[in-house]
Amino acid sequence: MSKKKIINTRLTAILEAAPTEDLDRQDYFIKVAKEEVAKRSEAAGRPMTCCVNTFGCQMNARDSEKILGVLEKAGYVESEDEHADFVIYNTCTVRENACNRVYGRLGYLSTLKKKNEFMKIALCGCMMQEEHVREKIHQSYPFVDLVFGTHNIYKFAELLVEMLFSDFQIVEVVEGSNKIVEELPIVRKYSYKSGVNITFGCNNFCSYCIVPYVRGREKSREPKDIIREIEKLASDGVVEVMLLGQNVNSYGKGLADPITFAELLQEVEKIDGIERIRFMTSHPKDLSDELIEVMANSKKICRHLHLPVQSGSSRILKIMNRHYDREHYLNLVKKIREKLPDVALTTDIIVGFPGETEEDFLETLSLVKEVEYDSAFTFIYSKRTGTPAASMPDQVPEDVVKDRFDRLLKEVQEISEKRARAYEGQDATVLVESVNEQDASLVTGRMSNNLLVHFPGDKDLIGKLVDVHLDTCKGFYFLGSRK
Ligand code: 5AD
Ligand code: SF4
């Protein structure tokens, strides 16, 4: 859907002069935006600033880097906070509280906007793919200047220009597009690591999940484009890549020359300069023996598998439309632990799915005990309008869900701590990510299994792989020392 009123002759002329080919077209709009941003900076007597605030998952984080890439090319300077001339919220709609946070902050943004004549506000991301959200923004938040969806990021430069030359709310959202445009400008948040999209969208339709409706059908990028992007990242000094997709294990299925995710990993492994490979997220129904084998033989693939289970009850898994049962999952875990004894297993669990009984919940608890996850994200079921689960009977009462959630969290935390403690006294290689925020004499590094270690060091270590000794376990992280 595209709602656009062009009432401005200047904008009409700009649009008419635009090239049609995607990359040329966006280059052209970046130039137009740059001239306009320069004019506004001159009028304001200071550089125009921008702030991209990301809610939600790694996919959104990557999209935000693309948005920031265009903004910097157009002459905006990134600001520390939302006191900026252009604030963009990249939203998430997976759970309701993420949506409420956005609405909550919009009130605050409107007060900032009243004090800054240059200020513009844009909303993008998954929430904007929902019609009722767009209606609400239009009715209740008319001060928002630009609304665009997850499939419009590639033409953000064009939308930016439309916004700069209009004085009404621009809304541009397409549904179900699976167009992939390569080689957009990008500003990476970290110099030494980067996310790399390998698939977009999702075909799984888990009955609680809104993602397939807002992100569209699954589409894989061409392997050559992925490899070229990673080679470029490596030549820019990136040592760790995180391959991103809603279900990376089904990568490659729809391509003209299908390849498997495990084959793609082997290609990435060959790239000089890349020292670590991570990926997210794995679906238990598609995780292959081939992948386990490739991981076992790899020197670069990190010892971490995020394998969302969602529930330990086969009955609930069926209603969730997950296409595996408890037994299949436990067998998979057994196989993984046999072949990859040092792997950290993490998961996502939903509590309070419609119809979940105490027995179902106890099955989840017992599965958690049996698997012994290194860590787990636990979520209270959130009703998402438009998903099958939203209209299922027997929504579980809030107090019951809260009680189950607390019991699960306690179990998960105890196990995580126990798992982490087992590494105490060992040595590990970490990738140094930052100077410690609380104590500047320490740096923070990440182990292959995703655990964090704080140890004495300075900012020159950032982006380096360093061998450390894990002196003391502090629950979910370590204090260490350099070897
Ligand atoms: N309610 C609660 N959690 C959800 N997730 C997805 N949809 C919902 C929902 N409606 C969780 C799943 C998924 C993670 C990214 O978010 O556990 O794995
Ligand atoms: Fe949502 Fe299921 Fe797709 Fe994950 S696999 S994004 S939970 S529908």
Side-chain angles (χ1 to χ4, degrees), residues 57 93-96 206-211 246 281 306-310 320 322 347-351 353 377-384 387 389:
C57 67
T93 184
V94 169
R95 285 170 295 276
E96 196 179 4
C206 301
S207 62
Y208 50 82
C209 186
I210 194 89
V211 168
Q246 304 295 348
T281 290
H306 185 64
L307 198 60
V309 66
Q310 314 297 1
M320 284 178 162
R322 291 288 290 176
T347 201
D348 295 340
I349 302 168
I350 297 176
V351 180
F353 183 83
F377 295 104
T378 50
F379 303 111
I380 285 180
Y381 166 73
S382 172
K383 192 172 175 174
R384 307 315 291 133
T387 62

mmCIF file of all heavy atoms in Angstrom, residues 57 93-96 206-211 246 281 306-310 320 322 347-351 353 377-384 387 389, ligand 1:
data_model
loop_
_atom_site.group_PDB
_atom_site.id
_atom_site.type_symbol
_atom_site.label_atom_id
_atom_site.label_comp_id
_atom_site.label_asym_id
_atom_site.label_seq_id
_atom_site.Cartn_x
_atom_site.Cartn_y
_atom_site.Cartn_z
ATOM 1 N N CYS A 57 14.884 -6.762 17.289
ATOM 2 C CA CYS A 57 15.883 -7.806 17.042
ATOM 3 C C CYS A 57 17.095 -7.323 16.252
ATOM 4 O O CYS A 57 17.200 -6.170 15.852
ATOM 5 C CB CYS A 57 15.218 -8.955 16.298
ATOM 6 S SG CYS A 57 14.712 -8.486 14.632
ATOM 7 N N THR A 93 7.229 -5.228 16.685
ATOM 8 C CA THR A 93 5.851 -5.523 17.070
ATOM 9 C C THR A 93 5.666 -6.965 17.554
ATOM 10 O O THR A 93 4.560 -7.465 17.666
ATOM 11 C CB THR A 93 4.873 -5.200 15.913
ATOM 12 O OG1 THR A 93 3.549 -5.416 16.354
ATOM 13 C CG2 THR A 93 5.141 -6.032 14.683
ATOM 14 N N VAL A 94 6.785 -7.632 17.850
ATOM 15 C CA VAL A 94 6.697 -9.037 18.248
ATOM 16 C C VAL A 94 5.888 -9.202 19.534
ATOM 17 O O VAL A 94 5.098 -10.119 19.668
ATOM 18 C CB VAL A 94 8.108 -9.660 18.392
ATOM 19 C CG1 VAL A 94 8.062 -11.022 19.060
ATOM 20 C CG2 VAL A 94 8.728 -9.819 17.030
ATOM 21 N N ARG A 95 6.109 -8.282 20.472
ATOM 22 C CA ARG A 95 5.313 -8.296 21.716
ATOM 23 C C ARG A 95 4.733 -6.913 21.967
ATOM 24 O O ARG A 95 5.317 -5.907 21.571
ATOM 25 C CB ARG A 95 6.183 -8.736 22.899
ATOM 26 C CG ARG A 95 6.469 -10.231 22.907
ATOM 27 C CD ARG A 95 7.518 -10.586 23.922
ATOM 28 N NE ARG A 95 8.793 -10.008 23.574
ATOM 29 C CZ ARG A 95 9.670 -10.548 22.730
ATOM 30 N NH1 ARG A 95 9.409 -11.694 22.177
ATOM 31 N NH2 ARG A 95 10.798 -9.943 22.438
ATOM 32 N N GLU A 96 3.594 -6.901 22.677
ATOM 33 C CA GLU A 96 2.871 -5.649 22.825
ATOM 34 C C GLU A 96 3.669 -4.585 23.595
ATOM 35 O O GLU A 96 3.583 -3.401 23.288
ATOM 36 C CB GLU A 96 1.542 -5.908 23.538
ATOM 37 C CG GLU A 96 0.586 -4.760 23.385
ATOM 38 C CD GLU A 96 -0.740 -5.017 24.068
ATOM 39 O OE1 GLU A 96 -0.883 -6.066 24.731
ATOM 40 O OE2 GLU A 96 -1.617 -4.163 23.943
ATOM 41 N N CYS A 206 4.295 -19.554 12.933
ATOM 42 C CA CYS A 206 4.026 -20.030 14.283
ATOM 43 C C CYS A 206 2.770 -19.268 14.728
ATOM 44 O O CYS A 206 2.630 -18.071 14.437
ATOM 45 C CB CYS A 206 5.199 -19.727 15.208
ATOM 46 S SG CYS A 206 6.715 -20.515 14.620
ATOM 47 N N SER A 207 1.845 -19.962 15.417
ATOM 48 C CA SER A 207 0.501 -19.383 15.538
ATOM 49 C C SER A 207 0.438 -18.140 16.419
ATOM 50 O O SER A 207 -0.540 -17.415 16.382
ATOM 51 C CB SER A 207 -0.469 -20.448 16.045
ATOM 52 O OG SER A 207 -0.059 -20.883 17.323
ATOM 53 N N TYR A 208 1.478 -17.879 17.216
ATOM 54 C CA TYR A 208 1.500 -16.700 18.083
ATOM 55 C C TYR A 208 2.196 -15.515 17.434
ATOM 56 O O TYR A 208 2.181 -14.405 17.965
ATOM 57 C CB TYR A 208 2.255 -17.034 19.395
ATOM 58 C CG TYR A 208 3.597 -17.675 19.132
ATOM 59 C CD1 TYR A 208 4.708 -16.900 18.829
ATOM 60 C CD2 TYR A 208 3.744 -19.066 19.108
ATOM 61 C CE1 TYR A 208 5.929 -17.477 18.523
ATOM 62 C CE2 TYR A 208 4.960 -19.653 18.809
ATOM 63 C CZ TYR A 208 6.044 -18.850 18.512
ATOM 64 O OH TYR A 208 7.240 -19.424 18.192
ATOM 65 N N CYS A 209 2.857 -15.730 16.301
ATOM 66 C CA CYS A 209 3.882 -14.774 15.842
ATOM 67 C C CYS A 209 3.409 -13.873 14.702
ATOM 68 O O CYS A 209 2.842 -14.331 13.709
ATOM 69 C CB CYS A 209 5.128 -15.550 15.412
ATOM 70 S SG CYS A 209 6.496 -14.462 14.999
ATOM 71 N N ILE A 210 3.704 -12.617 14.831
ATOM 72 C CA ILE A 210 3.278 -11.609 13.847
ATOM 73 C C ILE A 210 4.303 -11.440 12.719
ATOM 74 O O ILE A 210 3.997 -10.882 11.660
ATOM 75 C CB ILE A 210 3.043 -10.264 14.590
ATOM 76 C CG1 ILE A 210 2.281 -9.225 13.749
ATOM 77 C CG2 ILE A 210 4.338 -9.657 15.084
ATOM 78 C CD1 ILE A 210 0.810 -9.312 13.896
ATOM 79 N N VAL A 211 5.519 -11.977 12.949
ATOM 80 C CA VAL A 211 6.625 -11.707 12.007
ATOM 81 C C VAL A 211 6.292 -12.030 10.541
ATOM 82 O O VAL A 211 6.523 -11.200 9.656
ATOM 83 C CB VAL A 211 7.928 -12.413 12.469
ATOM 84 C CG1 VAL A 211 8.995 -12.399 11.379
ATOM 85 C CG2 VAL A 211 8.466 -11.737 13.724
ATOM 86 N N GLN A 246 15.376 -15.101 10.082
ATOM 87 C CA GLN A 246 14.391 -15.599 11.058
ATOM 88 C C GLN A 246 14.557 -17.101 11.249
ATOM 89 O O GLN A 246 14.262 -17.642 12.292
ATOM 90 C CB GLN A 246 12.951 -15.310 10.597
ATOM 91 C CG GLN A 246 12.663 -13.838 10.319
ATOM 92 C CD GLN A 246 12.751 -12.983 11.564
ATOM 93 O OE1 GLN A 246 12.805 -13.487 12.674
ATOM 94 N NE2 GLN A 246 12.800 -11.678 11.385
ATOM 95 N N THR A 281 18.524 -16.909 13.567
ATOM 96 C CA THR A 281 18.107 -17.861 14.572
ATOM 97 C C THR A 281 17.919 -19.231 13.930
ATOM 98 O O THR A 281 17.524 -19.305 12.768
ATOM 99 C CB THR A 281 16.758 -17.387 15.169
ATOM 100 O OG1 THR A 281 16.972 -16.227 15.949
ATOM 101 C CG2 THR A 281 16.122 -18.418 16.022
ATOM 102 N N HIS A 306 21.649 -20.864 19.200
ATOM 103 C CA HIS A 306 20.392 -20.357 19.760
ATOM 104 C C HIS A 306 19.269 -21.158 19.107
ATOM 105 O O HIS A 306 19.058 -21.062 17.898
ATOM 106 C CB HIS A 306 20.257 -18.867 19.465
ATOM 107 C CG HIS A 306 19.045 -18.264 20.119
ATOM 108 N ND1 HIS A 306 18.904 -18.213 21.488
ATOM 109 C CD2 HIS A 306 17.919 -17.711 19.607
ATOM 110 C CE1 HIS A 306 17.741 -17.654 21.787
ATOM 111 N NE2 HIS A 306 17.128 -17.344 20.669
ATOM 112 N N LEU A 307 18.609 -21.968 19.909
ATOM 113 C CA LEU A 307 17.644 -22.930 19.372
ATOM 114 C C LEU A 307 16.313 -22.788 20.119
ATOM 115 O O LEU A 307 16.038 -23.526 21.069
ATOM 116 C CB LEU A 307 18.236 -24.340 19.570
ATOM 117 C CG LEU A 307 17.671 -25.481 18.766
ATOM 118 C CD1 LEU A 307 17.808 -25.250 17.280
ATOM 119 C CD2 LEU A 307 18.363 -26.794 19.159
ATOM 120 N N PRO A 308 15.494 -21.830 19.685
ATOM 121 C CA PRO A 308 14.262 -21.552 20.428
ATOM 122 C C PRO A 308 13.351 -22.781 20.518
ATOM 123 O O PRO A 308 13.033 -23.399 19.508
ATOM 124 C CB PRO A 308 13.579 -20.457 19.601
ATOM 125 C CG PRO A 308 14.699 -19.792 18.886
ATOM 126 C CD PRO A 308 15.671 -20.904 18.566
ATOM 127 N N VAL A 309 12.961 -23.125 21.751
ATOM 128 C CA VAL A 309 12.090 -24.289 21.938
ATOM 129 C C VAL A 309 10.643 -23.843 22.073
ATOM 130 O O VAL A 309 9.732 -24.548 21.684
ATOM 131 C CB VAL A 309 12.543 -25.131 23.163
ATOM 132 C CG1 VAL A 309 12.383 -24.394 24.470
ATOM 133 C CG2 VAL A 309 11.801 -26.456 23.218
ATOM 134 N N GLN A 310 10.425 -22.705 22.670
ATOM 135 C CA GLN A 310 9.106 -22.073 22.887
ATOM 136 C C GLN A 310 8.271 -22.759 23.957
ATOM 137 O O GLN A 310 7.660 -22.086 24.782
ATOM 138 C CB GLN A 310 8.278 -21.941 21.588
ATOM 139 C CG GLN A 310 9.030 -21.395 20.375
ATOM 140 C CD GLN A 310 9.559 -19.965 20.525
ATOM 141 O OE1 GLN A 310 9.386 -19.345 21.548
ATOM 142 N NE2 GLN A 310 10.237 -19.476 19.516
ATOM 143 N N MET A 320 1.094 -24.396 18.596
ATOM 144 C CA MET A 320 1.953 -23.273 18.183
ATOM 145 C C MET A 320 2.384 -23.382 16.716
ATOM 146 O O MET A 320 2.999 -22.471 16.179
ATOM 147 C CB MET A 320 3.228 -23.229 19.043
ATOM 148 C CG MET A 320 3.050 -22.688 20.441
ATOM 149 S SD MET A 320 4.648 -22.764 21.304
ATOM 150 C CE MET A 320 4.352 -21.618 22.651
ATOM 151 N N ARG A 322 4.711 -25.417 15.483
ATOM 152 C CA ARG A 322 6.169 -25.407 15.435
ATOM 153 C C ARG A 322 6.755 -26.563 14.599
ATOM 154 O O ARG A 322 7.952 -26.597 14.334
ATOM 155 C CB ARG A 322 6.742 -25.464 16.860
ATOM 156 C CG ARG A 322 6.503 -24.202 17.664
ATOM 157 C CD ARG A 322 7.358 -23.047 17.179
ATOM 158 N NE ARG A 322 8.769 -23.229 17.469
ATOM 159 C CZ ARG A 322 9.725 -22.386 17.072
ATOM 160 N NH1 ARG A 322 9.423 -21.335 16.337
ATOM 161 N NH2 ARG A 322 10.980 -22.601 17.381
ATOM 162 N N THR A 347 18.026 -20.430 24.282
ATOM 163 C CA THR A 347 16.688 -20.657 23.740
ATOM 164 C C THR A 347 15.743 -19.497 24.013
ATOM 165 O O THR A 347 16.088 -18.566 24.750
ATOM 166 C CB THR A 347 16.105 -21.970 24.335
ATOM 167 O OG1 THR A 347 15.073 -22.455 23.487
ATOM 168 C CG2 THR A 347 15.552 -21.762 25.741
ATOM 169 N N ASP A 348 14.567 -19.551 23.381
ATOM 170 C CA ASP A 348 13.448 -18.651 23.701
ATOM 171 C C ASP A 348 12.303 -19.524 24.205
ATOM 172 O O ASP A 348 12.046 -20.600 23.639
ATOM 173 C CB ASP A 348 12.931 -17.931 22.453
ATOM 174 C CG ASP A 348 13.943 -16.982 21.841
ATOM 175 O OD1 ASP A 348 14.882 -16.580 22.534
ATOM 176 O OD2 ASP A 348 13.769 -16.640 20.646
ATOM 177 N N ILE A 349 11.626 -19.040 25.238
ATOM 178 C CA ILE A 349 10.480 -19.787 25.783
ATOM 179 C C ILE A 349 9.316 -18.825 25.988
ATOM 180 O O ILE A 349 9.498 -17.717 26.502
ATOM 181 C CB ILE A 349 10.836 -20.442 27.141
ATOM 182 C CG1 ILE A 349 12.034 -21.381 26.979
ATOM 183 C CG2 ILE A 349 9.630 -21.195 27.718
ATOM 184 C CD1 ILE A 349 12.640 -21.849 28.293
ATOM 185 N N ILE A 350 8.143 -19.259 25.585
ATOM 186 C CA ILE A 350 6.934 -18.447 25.806
ATOM 187 C C ILE A 350 6.114 -19.099 26.918
ATOM 188 O O ILE A 350 5.846 -20.304 26.876
ATOM 189 C CB ILE A 350 6.085 -18.361 24.526
ATOM 190 C CG1 ILE A 350 6.883 -17.643 23.423
ATOM 191 C CG2 ILE A 350 4.766 -17.634 24.799
ATOM 192 C CD1 ILE A 350 6.179 -17.587 22.080
ATOM 193 N N VAL A 351 5.722 -18.294 27.886
ATOM 194 C CA VAL A 351 4.878 -18.786 28.983
ATOM 195 C C VAL A 351 3.488 -18.200 28.819
ATOM 196 O O VAL A 351 3.338 -17.012 28.518
ATOM 197 C CB VAL A 351 5.452 -18.334 30.351
ATOM 198 C CG1 VAL A 351 4.576 -18.838 31.482
ATOM 199 C CG2 VAL A 351 6.866 -18.834 30.517
ATOM 200 N N PHE A 353 0.965 -19.384 26.743
ATOM 201 C CA PHE A 353 0.303 -19.532 25.436
ATOM 202 C C PHE A 353 -1.128 -19.997 25.687
ATOM 203 O O PHE A 353 -1.369 -20.774 26.629
ATOM 204 C CB PHE A 353 1.093 -20.552 24.592
ATOM 205 C CG PHE A 353 0.539 -20.731 23.214
ATOM 206 C CD1 PHE A 353 0.868 -19.848 22.202
ATOM 207 C CD2 PHE A 353 -0.334 -21.782 22.935
ATOM 208 C CE1 PHE A 353 0.340 -20.003 20.931
ATOM 209 C CE2 PHE A 353 -0.859 -21.940 21.660
ATOM 210 C CZ PHE A 353 -0.526 -21.049 20.662
ATOM 211 N N PHE A 377 15.918 -16.768 26.922
ATOM 212 C CA PHE A 377 15.032 -15.599 26.944
ATOM 213 C C PHE A 377 13.631 -16.110 27.233
ATOM 214 O O PHE A 377 13.121 -16.968 26.496
ATOM 215 C CB PHE A 377 15.042 -14.872 25.599
ATOM 216 C CG PHE A 377 16.371 -14.276 25.258
ATOM 217 C CD1 PHE A 377 17.204 -14.871 24.324
ATOM 218 C CD2 PHE A 377 16.803 -13.114 25.885
ATOM 219 C CE1 PHE A 377 18.437 -14.322 24.012
ATOM 220 C CE2 PHE A 377 18.032 -12.555 25.585
ATOM 221 C CZ PHE A 377 18.857 -13.163 24.656
ATOM 222 N N THR A 378 13.042 -15.611 28.294
ATOM 223 C CA THR A 378 11.697 -16.067 28.658
ATOM 224 C C THR A 378 10.711 -14.933 28.390
ATOM 225 O O THR A 378 10.965 -13.779 28.762
ATOM 226 C CB THR A 378 11.660 -16.453 30.139
ATOM 227 O OG1 THR A 378 12.235 -15.391 30.901
ATOM 228 C CG2 THR A 378 12.436 -17.717 30.402
ATOM 229 N N PHE A 379 9.620 -15.263 27.729
ATOM 230 C CA PHE A 379 8.638 -14.240 27.361
ATOM 231 C C PHE A 379 7.262 -14.619 27.867
ATOM 232 O O PHE A 379 6.881 -15.797 27.813
ATOM 233 C CB PHE A 379 8.552 -14.098 25.826
ATOM 234 C CG PHE A 379 9.862 -13.774 25.178
ATOM 235 C CD1 PHE A 379 10.505 -14.723 24.381
ATOM 236 C CD2 PHE A 379 10.463 -12.539 25.357
ATOM 237 C CE1 PHE A 379 11.708 -14.434 23.764
ATOM 238 C CE2 PHE A 379 11.669 -12.235 24.748
ATOM 239 C CZ PHE A 379 12.298 -13.180 23.950
ATOM 240 N N ILE A 380 6.540 -13.614 28.305
ATOM 241 C CA ILE A 380 5.124 -13.827 28.590
ATOM 242 C C ILE A 380 4.392 -13.723 27.264
ATOM 243 O O ILE A 380 4.655 -12.793 26.477
ATOM 244 C CB ILE A 380 4.629 -12.770 29.606
ATOM 245 C CG1 ILE A 380 5.169 -13.143 30.990
ATOM 246 C CG2 ILE A 380 3.115 -12.657 29.597
ATOM 247 C CD1 ILE A 380 4.780 -12.213 32.108
ATOM 248 N N TYR A 381 3.509 -14.682 27.002
ATOM 249 C CA TYR A 381 2.768 -14.669 25.748
ATOM 250 C C TYR A 381 2.057 -13.326 25.569
ATOM 251 O O TYR A 381 1.412 -12.819 26.486
ATOM 252 C CB TYR A 381 1.736 -15.813 25.710
ATOM 253 C CG TYR A 381 0.738 -15.636 24.595
ATOM 254 C CD1 TYR A 381 1.110 -15.841 23.277
ATOM 255 C CD2 TYR A 381 -0.575 -15.228 24.866
ATOM 256 C CE1 TYR A 381 0.204 -15.640 22.245
ATOM 257 C CE2 TYR A 381 -1.485 -15.032 23.842
ATOM 258 C CZ TYR A 381 -1.087 -15.228 22.533
ATOM 259 O OH TYR A 381 -1.983 -15.012 21.509
ATOM 260 N N SER A 382 2.203 -12.770 24.381
ATOM 261 C CA SER A 382 1.593 -11.482 24.077
ATOM 262 C C SER A 382 0.657 -11.671 22.883
ATOM 263 O O SER A 382 1.060 -12.206 21.840
ATOM 264 C CB SER A 382 2.715 -10.494 23.753
ATOM 265 O OG SER A 382 2.220 -9.287 23.280
ATOM 266 N N LYS A 383 -0.586 -11.257 23.079
ATOM 267 C CA LYS A 383 -1.595 -11.484 22.037
ATOM 268 C C LYS A 383 -1.370 -10.522 20.886
ATOM 269 O O LYS A 383 -1.392 -9.300 21.085
ATOM 270 C CB LYS A 383 -2.939 -11.205 22.702
ATOM 271 C CG LYS A 383 -4.151 -11.606 21.968
ATOM 272 C CD LYS A 383 -5.330 -11.413 22.919
ATOM 273 C CE LYS A 383 -6.633 -11.675 22.232
ATOM 274 N NZ LYS A 383 -7.738 -11.623 23.184
ATOM 275 N N ARG A 384 -1.136 -11.045 19.675
ATOM 276 C CA ARG A 384 -0.909 -10.172 18.519
ATOM 277 C C ARG A 384 -2.088 -10.284 17.571
ATOM 278 O O ARG A 384 -2.323 -11.353 16.980
ATOM 279 C CB ARG A 384 0.391 -10.544 17.786
ATOM 280 C CG ARG A 384 1.646 -10.611 18.615
ATOM 281 C CD ARG A 384 1.872 -9.475 19.600
ATOM 282 N NE ARG A 384 2.163 -8.194 19.001
ATOM 283 C CZ ARG A 384 1.573 -7.043 19.357
ATOM 284 N NH1 ARG A 384 0.644 -7.025 20.297
ATOM 285 N NH2 ARG A 384 1.895 -5.916 18.778
ATOM 286 N N THR A 387 -2.971 -12.849 14.407
ATOM 287 C CA THR A 387 -2.365 -14.188 14.444
ATOM 288 C C THR A 387 -3.424 -15.201 14.888
ATOM 289 O O THR A 387 -4.356 -14.832 15.612
ATOM 290 C CB THR A 387 -1.189 -14.238 15.448
ATOM 291 O OG1 THR A 387 -1.696 -13.958 16.760
ATOM 292 C CG2 THR A 387 -0.108 -13.239 15.101
ATOM 293 N N ALA A 389 -3.339 -17.455 17.173
ATOM 294 C CA ALA A 389 -3.417 -17.639 18.628
ATOM 295 C C ALA A 389 -4.257 -16.555 19.304
ATOM 296 O O ALA A 389 -4.833 -16.779 20.370
ATOM 297 C CB ALA A 389 -2.014 -17.656 19.238
HETATM 298 N N1 5AD B 1 4.358 -13.422 22.552
HETATM 299 C C1 5AD B 1 5.457 -13.674 23.280
HETATM 300 N N2 5AD B 1 6.641 -13.985 22.718
HETATM 301 C C2 5AD B 1 6.702 -14.033 21.369
HETATM 302 N N3 5AD B 1 7.725 -14.310 20.546
HETATM 303 C C3 5AD B 1 7.280 -14.220 19.277
HETATM 304 N N4 5AD B 1 5.983 -13.880 19.271
HETATM 305 C C4 5AD B 1 5.602 -13.771 20.564
HETATM 306 C C5 5AD B 1 4.370 -13.465 21.196
HETATM 307 N N5 5AD B 1 3.268 -13.214 20.500
HETATM 308 C C6 5AD B 1 9.052 -14.685 21.022
HETATM 309 C C7 5AD B 1 9.437 -16.090 20.553
HETATM 310 C C8 5AD B 1 10.496 -15.814 19.524
HETATM 311 C C9 5AD B 1 11.118 -14.540 20.049
HETATM 312 C C10 5AD B 1 11.901 -13.765 19.061
HETATM 313 O O1 5AD B 1 10.001 -13.789 20.489
HETATM 314 O O2 5AD B 1 9.963 -16.790 21.653
HETATM 315 O O3 5AD B 1 11.436 -16.866 19.428
#
